[in-house]
């Protein structure tokens, strides 16, 4: 009987360990090409491919969870998922609340986009996604900030006349301008912001952070990460 109890306890410990190794990856699903929902209703994009590869290298079982951007950090800290992998730039302000891995994309500039080349983004009404480094920059620039839940809505505000310009990552904005047929143009100069994009984890999850950090390091070292960046962002994308 004693041996049976010991075996049952060992199995329980193994089961708990296995469950602990099932990691929930939190993303927005609305910021292409970083992340989006495809026609099959599944998370897709650069970060889906990256996250799956990182989990494989870290020997972790992972599942994907979507969450609206404006509550993505609070829902990480309260335990709704275990990481944020959602085009989140590493900033000192965010680092006070959560921890980050090393960056998996280099720092990339942000662009102002407008319907007219005559718009001055420093004095205009500028739309940006709420709780982003772009919205913080606009608020401090002297322009009038209008915030939206998603970057798509910020761009739509320019198209329908609610805002003079929109401000977001170059990687997000460049394809939109290219596909607009001249309806949208870049105005002003590119603005460098943040320390690149990294995975966010709870401050108490040092082991998990270190596992993903090491996996990112191996992808940088063997060139896999640069290949993946170019696949999703183009041959001219900034790489490591």
């Amino acid at each position: 009987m004693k041996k049976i109890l010991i075996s049952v306890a060992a199995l329980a410990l193994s089961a708990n360990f296995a469950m602990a190794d099932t990691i929930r990856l939190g993303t927005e699903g609305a910021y292409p090409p970083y992340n989006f929902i495809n026609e099959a209703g599944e998370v897709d994009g650069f970060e889906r491919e990256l996250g799956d590869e990182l989990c494989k290298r870290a020997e972790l079982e992972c599942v994907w969870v979507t969450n609206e951007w404006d509550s993505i950090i609070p829902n990480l800290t309260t335990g709704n998922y275990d990481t944020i992998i959602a085009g989140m730039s590493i900033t000192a302000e965010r680092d006070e609340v959560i921890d980050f891995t090393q960056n998996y994309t280099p720092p990339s500039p942000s662009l102002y986009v407008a319907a007219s080349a005559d718009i001055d983004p420093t004095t205009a009404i500028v739309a940006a996604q709420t709780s982003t480094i772009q919205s913080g920059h606009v608020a401090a620039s002297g322009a009038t900030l209008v915030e939206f839940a998603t970057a798509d809505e910020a761009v739509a505000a320019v198209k329908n006349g609610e805002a003079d310009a929109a401000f977001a990552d170059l990687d997000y904005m460049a394809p939109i301008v290219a596909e607009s047929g001249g309806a949208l143009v870049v105005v002003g100069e590119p603005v460098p912001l943040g320390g690149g994009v990294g995975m966010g984890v709870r401050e108490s999850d040092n082991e998990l952070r270190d596992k993903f950090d090491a996996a990112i390091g191996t992808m940088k070292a063997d060139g896999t990460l640069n290949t993946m960046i170019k696949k999703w962002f183009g041959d001219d994308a900034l790489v490591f």
Side-chain angles (χ1 to χ4, degrees):
M1 177 63 72
K2 185 176 181 181
K3 288 182 179 179
I4 292 173
L5 290 174
I6 291 172
S7 297
V8 170
L11 286 172
L13 286 171
S14 297
N16 286 337
F17 180 80
M19 283 189 287
D21 272 10
T22 301
I23 303 303
R24 298 160 298 170
L25 306 179
T27 194
E28 182 187 13
Y31 202 60
Y34 286 93
N35 58 81
F36 57 92
I37 304 301
N38 63 24
E39 292 180 357
E42 299 174 341
V43 174
D44 206 338
F46 165 66
E47 285 168 322
R48 174 59 193 265
E49 185 176 0
L50 173 65
D52 288 349
E53 178 64 21
L54 292 174
C55 288
K56 179 181 176 181
R57 292 185 182 221
E59 299 181 344
L60 296 168
E61 192 72 30
C62 296
V63 295
W64 287 87
V65 179
T66 56
N67 192 94
E68 293 182 356
W69 177 262
D70 61 356
S71 60
I72 203 164
I73 289 180
N75 282 335
L76 169 70
T77 59
T78 55
N80 288 10
Y81 33 83
D82 303 301
T83 75
I84 295 172
I85 178 167
M88 180 171 283
S89 295
I90 301 168
T91 67
E93 182 180 21
R94 289 170 179 157
D95 200 33
E96 292 179 358
V97 182
I98 61 175
D99 275 349
F100 284 97
T101 63
Q102 63 180 293
N103 59 2
Y104 55 77
T105 69
S108 177
S110 296
L111 295 181
Y112 290 99
V113 168
S116 169
D118 297 329
I119 297 297
D120 179 357
T122 63
T123 58
I125 299 172
V126 180
Q129 185 175 15
T130 188
S131 301
T132 60
I133 56 174
Q134 287 82 18
S135 64
H137 177 80
V138 173
S141 71
T144 300
L145 170 67
V146 287
E147 294 183 286
F148 293 87
T150 69
D152 281 349
E153 291 175 13
V155 173
V158 175
K159 294 178 178 178
N160 64 29
E162 290 182 68
D164 300 317
F167 189 51
D169 289 319
L170 178 151
D171 296 324
Y172 172 79
M173 285 298 206
I176 290 175
V177 173
E179 295 166 9
S180 72
L184 295 173
V185 295
V186 175
V187 294
E189 295 297 322
V191 182
L193 295 173
V197 173
M199 292 182 77
V201 300
R202 287 181 288 274
E203 291 193 319
S204 58
D205 286 345
N206 295 334
E207 183 179 357
L208 182 62
R209 180 201 62 212
D210 291 347
K211 283 185 176 183
F212 279 123
D213 197 76
I216 293 169
T218 65
M219 290 187 69
K220 287 180 177 179
D222 67 17
T224 308
L225 185 52
N226 284 347
T227 299
M228 199 176 288
I229 290 171
K230 289 185 177 183
K231 171 186 173 181
W232 287 99
F233 298 103
D235 290 336
D236 293 333
L238 296 173
V239 294
F240 295 101

